[in-house]
Structure formats: C-alpha cells, structure tokens
Amino acid sequence: MVQPYRHEPFTDFTVEENKKAMEEALSQVKSELGQEYPLIIGGERIYTDRKIESFNPAKKDEIVGYVSKADQELAEKAMQVADETFEWWRKSTPEMRADILFRAAAIVRRRKFEFNAWIIYEGGKPWKEADADIAEGIDFLEYYGRQMLEIAEGKEINSRTVENNRFGYIPLGVGLVVSPWNFLFAIMCGTAVSPMVTGNTVLLKPASATPVIAYKLMEVLEEAGMPAGVINYIPGSGSEIGDYLVEHPKTRFISFTGSRDVGVGIYEKAAKVQPGQKWLKRVVAEMGGKDTIIVDNDSDLELAAESIMNSAFGFQGQKCSACSRVVAHEDVYDDLLERVTELTKDITVGNTTEKNYFMGPVVDKGAFDKISGYIETGKNEGKLVLGGDGDDSKGFFLNPTIFADVDPEATIMQEEIFGPVVAFTKAKDFNEALDIANNTDYGLTGAVITNNRNHIEMAKEDFHVGNLYFNRGCTAAIVGYHPFGGFNMSGTDSKAGGPDYLYNFLQGKTYSEML
Ligand code: NDP
C-alpha cells in the first residue's frame, strides 16, 4: 500500500540552516552553468549545431546552458520512436508506471535545494517561489501516481445473468506536451508525467526560455526507471516543431499550457483532420488569466492588502493566477489602496541568484518591453500610484506598479499583462463588483475578501472562474487541494492536480461477454 497523498511542505528560509543550504546549492549550480545539453530521443543523446541559449534573466550575459534544438526531421524521428514505444508501453502495468513517479519524487525531494537553485538561475525565481515550484512538481509526481493506481481499479458497471460486463480506461497514444516557462519545473513535470503514467508516450517540448530544468527532469525520470522512448525531450521553436507536431497525423493529443494566442492557434490546427489521421485529436489547453480580487466593505482590510500584494507581485506577477485587478467597495477603496501601497513599498527587487529578494527579474527582453508598454498605456488610463519604472541594463527588472482609478473596460483591466502591475477600480456595491470581475474574456482565478456570508454565496453562484477563493489571495493552488484550471478563454478547464485530470489522457473501454 502506498502512503496517503500529502503535499510537499515548503522550506522556511528564515531558518539559518535552510538559508545556508540554499546558498551552497546556488554556488554549486553556478559552477555547473554553461554546459551543453542534447536532445533525448528513444534514450539516445543527440547534439545539434543549432542551440538554444538559456540565460539567467537577472544577469543576461550569464548562460545557464546551451541546449540542442530539434528541427522538423528530429521531431519526426521522435514521433516515430514514441509511436513504436507506445505499442508496448500501453500494456505496461499502472503499478510500474506509478512506481517510476514515486521514485522520481523521492529523487527530486533529496535534491530539492539543487533543483531550487536551477530554477532560480533559469527562471529568475525568488527563493520562496522556486521552492514552491519544485514542491508542486513533487506533488504532481506523488498525486498522479496515486490517481493512476485508483483509476486502474476500474469503475463498477452492471452485469446480467447472461452477460458479464467490465469497464476500464486505456491510454490514447502519442501526445505532444508543450509547457510554459513560468512554472518551469512544476507545470513542465506535471504535464509530462500525467500522460506517461496513464500509459501514453510523450514528446516534451519545453519553453525555449527554460529547457535546462526539463533536461534535469529527464535525468531524474531515467534514474527512476523510465524506459527509453516513453518521454522524448525535444526542445525547439514553438512555431517550427510545435506547429509540425500539432498537425502531425500520428499526434493523438496535445497538452498545452501557455498564452491565449498560441493555445487558440493549437486548438484550431489540431481540429483539422490530416490525411492518414484516424482520430479526432484531443486538446488540453490551459491559457492566460486576468484575475481579480474583490474587496467588500465588511472585510478584513489587512488580510485584503496582504493577499493583493502577494498575489500581484509574487514571482513578479508572472503567474496565470496573478492578481492584476482589484475591485474594491467604495467605502474601503481609499484605505485599501493606501495599505497595499505601503506594503508594496517594502518589496525588494534584485538578482535572486545572489540574495533572497522578494522579487526577481521578468523572464526576458520581450516580457520587459511588453510589460513596459502596458505601464505606458496605464499612465493614460489611470493614476500611477507606485512603480512604473525598471532597469534592463543587466537583467530584466521592473518595479512593482500600482494604478488607481482605472475604468473596468480599460486595456490594463482587460488584457493579460503578465508582470508586476495591478490596477484598482471602485464598485458601489457587491453586485457591481461581481459584474466588473466577470467583464473579461478570461475566467481563471478570483478571490473575494468579505465577512458577509450572503456575498460569499452570491460569488459562488456568479463569479465565473475555475478557481474561486475566499478570504485569501488568488494564487498558490496546491496539488490535490485546489484542482486548477479556468473557464472561457483561460482554457479547457482540465483541473490539473485534481481527481479528474488523468482522464484527459485516457479513453473508456467497455468489455461485454455473453455467458
Ligand atoms: P507561450 O504561449 O508563449 O508559450 C508556451 C509554450 O508554447 C512554449 O513552449 C512555446 O514555445 C510554445 N509555442 C509557441 N508557439 C507555438 C506553436 N505555434 N505551436 C506549438 N507550441 C508553441 O506562453 P509563455 O511560455 O509565455 O507562458 C505564459 C502564458 O502561459 C501566460 O499567458 C500564462 O497565463 C499562461 N499560463 C497558463 C497557466 C494555466 O494553467 N492556465 C499556467 C501557466 C501559464 P517557445 O518557448 O519555443 O516559443
């Protein structure tokens, strides 16, 4: 019997011993920067001439690793290997597959500080955020392993005296997994191992900004006993190999996490049946967010301010669940804005590979420029209360930015900024607050800070988001506790880390025998 699932505890870096261990891991990883990494196809290491240069966003001339880049020919090779491997892997036992995940979780747990350090370098994460990202990856391994064991027992259906019936689930085939850079370990790991533990084979295309940590996961899975060809590691350009594999007739499903534009494009391309294709492709697409915290007049304002500050600026606002909109009741609007501003003034920004700052850099120049553009737009759409500036001379640093008195229909209230920017707007009552909260194309997360039980019930019915939180922030979902996924243009609501998630990669089969 496996032990019951329990989520991985977070590391407390105020404890001297943990701080020291983190510093040691950072200096160890620093000595390992700048190495070359191959593709892994069918267990074979393949080095290519074209390389992705993964760099430290806090120090752009510091190269984390040079990673081989797959072209269409290598993508095709990976597809052939994954297709052949599926023929036997689909018959492997769920117990064996789950055990690989459990062992992988144990390996990552033992090397947690080292893994934290890799994603601090590659993703620009503050320590706390890096630790939560690695913990979430461990959680996915532990949780999906257990979910597979449960699913393997099948579901009860009825039989008759003349007929024996059974029902169970089988895998789909070869899946393309396309992951983002923001949860560079957790989402990459969770989306790669969920189809694998259900008996599918995988082509893993990590984000081009963060391919080194994905290589590290491959090493862990191999050490844990994953056979060659089950997950194939093929970093490369989204438009070059991504499009090729999305349209490939042998691709059975696509699991994508990333931006709305790319997700919609994948959904459309996958819908077209290609010559030789024998199925309708399944698409899991988890996309952007424009997440709101509502603050009611009867509420704990200190809790509200802390929740907003943490949800808006944790990991530089680069979370799909980040709070980028605050809708406050007019009675408390001014006090709340003042308190959030005070708390935000204490935020430290800097190179987290050197020191444990609250905020690190944004991921690259593209992000820096895009967010800066929204900040300029914001200056015309509201009152700049704090921040609004940055420095990209060494790394991509932006200060936490607050806008007040923004119209609910303004650009910065509607479009995903994906950076440390939050906009405040006023509502005259709770009904209006709900209307404003629902007025975007997205529906990922949201939070309500209130002591009013009626308002909690109203929000449960009418606040249309996949993850709705009360009296806490709108980020920090935990595997097994807060199944995660959004409505509307936030995606297909697959609810990662929830009890139904693995069914995305399975199909039900009925067996009926006449007696
Ligand atoms: P992108 O959409 O830019 O990229 C995501 C992945 O898609 C990358 O691996 C990228 O590759 C790849 N890609 C790009 N173009 C194509 C294509 N034509 N075909 C196939 N794959 C392609 O998103 P980001 O990495 O910038 O991630 C941030 C976004 O992700 C935000 O919008 C955020 O809200 C969302 N997100 C959503 C989550 C959710 O659960 N709903 C969770 C986390 C993030 P390459 O890097 O090579 O371009």
Side-chain angles (χ1 to χ4, degrees), residues 33-104:
L33 298 180
Q35 294 177 17
E36 284 196 22
Y37 296 90
L39 312 176
I40 307 177
I41 299 178
E44 186 190 345
R45 262 63 180 167
I46 301 173
Y47 289 88
T48 61
D49 291 338
R50 288 198 308 156
K51 300 271 192 294
I52 299 170
E53 282 185 12
S54 171
F55 60 87
N56 175 1
K59 206 174 167 191
K60 49 192 170 185
D61 55 5
E62 186 165 58
I63 301 296
V64 176
Y66 297 93
V67 181
S68 292
K69 202 170 178 183
D71 56 13
Q72 288 185 4
E73 206 176 307
L74 287 164
E76 180 59 37
K77 180 180 163 90
M79 171 57 86
Q80 298 309 330
V81 166
D83 192 39
E84 282 159 24
T85 309
F86 178 67
E87 281 316 308
W88 71 265
W89 178 248
R90 69 187 172 88
K91 298 177 191 168
S92 60
T93 66
E95 290 77 11
M96 171 205 177
R97 301 195 300 258
D99 285 348
I100 295 170
L101 267 54
F102 297 146
R103 176 104 195 275

Side-chain angles (χ1 to χ4, degrees), residues 52 176 178-183 187 205-209 236-244 246 256-263 266 269 285-289 318-321 363 416 418 442 444 484-486 490-491 496:
I52 299 170
L176 171 64
V178 181
S179 59
W181 50 263
N182 68 336
F183 282 85
I187 293 182
K205 197 215 92 58
S208 294
S237 142
S239 48
E240 189 184 344
I241 63 161
D243 282 349
Y244 178 75
V246 166
F256 167 81
T257 314
S259 63
R260 169 181 173 170
D261 287 351
V262 175
I266 287 177
K269 285 175 205 136
E286 295 307 316
M287 312 190 290
Q318 299 175 115
K319 299 181 189 177
C320 50
S321 55
V363 70
E416 186 181 43
F418 222 56
Y442 296 101
L444 190 49
F484 191 81
S490 290

Side-chain angles (χ1 to χ4, degrees), residues 107-160:
I107 295 169
V108 179
R109 186 177 292 117
R110 281 196 286 271
R111 294 169 56 188
K112 204 193 253 185
F113 288 105
E114 179 203 340
F115 271 72
N116 285 350
W118 277 108
I119 65 172
I120 292 169
Y121 270 103
E122 195 170 38
K125 291 221 156 184
W127 296 12
K128 183 174 159 231
E129 302 285 346
D131 188 66
D133 190 326
I134 299 298
E136 188 177 353
I138 294 172
D139 286 348
F140 279 131
L141 291 161
E142 297 281 10
Y143 185 80
Y144 291 147
R146 285 166 177 78
Q147 287 297 314
M148 186 63 237
L149 295 179
E150 211 177 294
I151 290 171
E153 289 169 12
K155 287 262 162 77
E156 217 167 279
I157 54 165
N158 295 324
S159 290
R160 298 183 275 202

Side-chain angles (χ1 to χ4, degrees), residues 335-390:
D335 290 346
L336 178 72
L337 179 62
E338 194 184 322
R339 187 64 189 129
V340 174
T341 308
E342 265 172 28
L343 289 175
T344 307
K345 279 183 185 155
D346 290 339
I347 285 181
T348 55
V349 184
N351 180 347
T352 56
T353 60
E354 288 169 354
K355 211 172 135 193
N356 190 10
Y357 293 98
F358 184 90
M359 268 175 53
V362 298
V363 70
D364 58 17
K365 178 151 174 53
F368 183 89
D369 290 347
K370 185 172 162 216
I371 301 160
S372 302
Y374 277 114
I375 291 174
E376 287 312 306
T377 306
K379 288 176 184 168
N380 298 320
E381 290 184 330
K383 187 173 137 218
L384 179 65
V385 178
L386 194 72
D389 54 349

Side-chain angles (χ1 to χ4, degrees), residues 208-472:
S208 294
T210 57
V212 172
I213 189 65
Y215 186 85
K216 297 277 164 194
L217 175 72
M218 288 297 291
E219 286 183 329
V220 167
L221 290 169
E222 288 176 336
E223 187 185 338
M226 181 184 74
V230 171
I231 299 183
N232 300 279
Y233 169 75
I234 48 163
S237 142
S239 48
E240 189 184 344
I241 63 161
D243 282 349
Y244 178 75
L245 289 171
V246 166
E247 290 172 352
H248 200 291
K250 285 192 175 157
T251 298
R252 179 66 182 83
F253 64 95
I254 297 136
S255 174
F256 167 81
T257 314
S259 63
R260 169 181 173 170
D261 287 351
V262 175
V264 169
I266 287 177
Y267 191 71
E268 285 171 2
K269 285 175 205 136
K272 183 158 176 20
V273 177
Q274 303 291 338
Q277 184 180 322
K278 287 193 197 157
W279 44 65
L280 300 177
K281 289 174 192 168
R282 217 181 260 185
V283 177
V284 173
E286 295 307 316
M287 312 190 290
K290 191 71 191 165
D291 312 293
T292 306
I293 297 185
I294 295 179
V295 182
D296 206 358
N297 54 351
D298 178 7
S299 63
D300 177 342
L301 282 197
E302 190 57 26
L303 169 72
E306 279 171 18
S307 305
I308 291 164
M309 191 273 282
N310 283 308
S311 303
F313 303 122
F315 187 37
Q316 298 81 264
Q318 299 175 115
K319 299 181 189 177
C320 50
S321 55
C323 168
S324 62
R325 301 157 31 104
V326 175
V327 182
H329 192 288
E330 59 185 11
D331 294 351
V332 296
Y333 181 90
D334 291 336
D335 290 346
L336 178 72
L337 179 62
E338 194 184 322
R339 187 64 189 129
V340 174
T341 308
E342 265 172 28
L343 289 175
T344 307
K345 279 183 185 155
D346 290 339
I347 285 181
T348 55
V349 184
N351 180 347
T352 56
T353 60
E354 288 169 354
K355 211 172 135 193
N356 190 10
Y357 293 98
F358 184 90
M359 268 175 53
V362 298
V363 70
D364 58 17
K365 178 151 174 53
F368 183 89
D369 290 347
K370 185 172 162 216
I371 301 160
S372 302
Y374 277 114
I375 291 174
E376 287 312 306
T377 306
K379 288 176 184 168
N380 298 320
E381 290 184 330
K383 187 173 137 218
L384 179 65
V385 178
L386 194 72
D389 54 349
D391 176 3
D392 65 347
S393 54
K394 296 199 183 76
F396 301 103
F397 297 99
L398 282 162
N399 286 316
T401 298
I402 301 175
F403 286 104
D405 308 340
V406 185
D407 187 279
E409 300 294 338
T411 311
I412 63 163
M413 273 283 175
Q414 292 294 320
E415 295 181 12
E416 186 181 43
I417 299 173
F418 222 56
V421 182
V422 66
F424 278 64
T425 196
K426 209 178 272 182
K428 64 177 184 321
D429 57 30
F430 196 73
N431 276 319
E432 189 182 53
L434 279 178
D435 286 346
I436 297 171
N438 284 329
N439 81 347
T440 75
D441 292 346
Y442 296 101
L444 190 49
T445 76
V448 179
I449 314 289
T450 184
N451 294 324
N452 184 322
R453 177 55 54 185
N454 276 342
H455 289 175
I456 290 180
E457 294 308 311
M458 279 165 70
K460 279 187 193 163
E461 282 179 356
D462 291 332
F463 194 164
H464 195 58
V465 291
N467 285 61
L468 180 57
Y469 302 110
F470 295 101
N471 292 321
R472 50 157 287 180

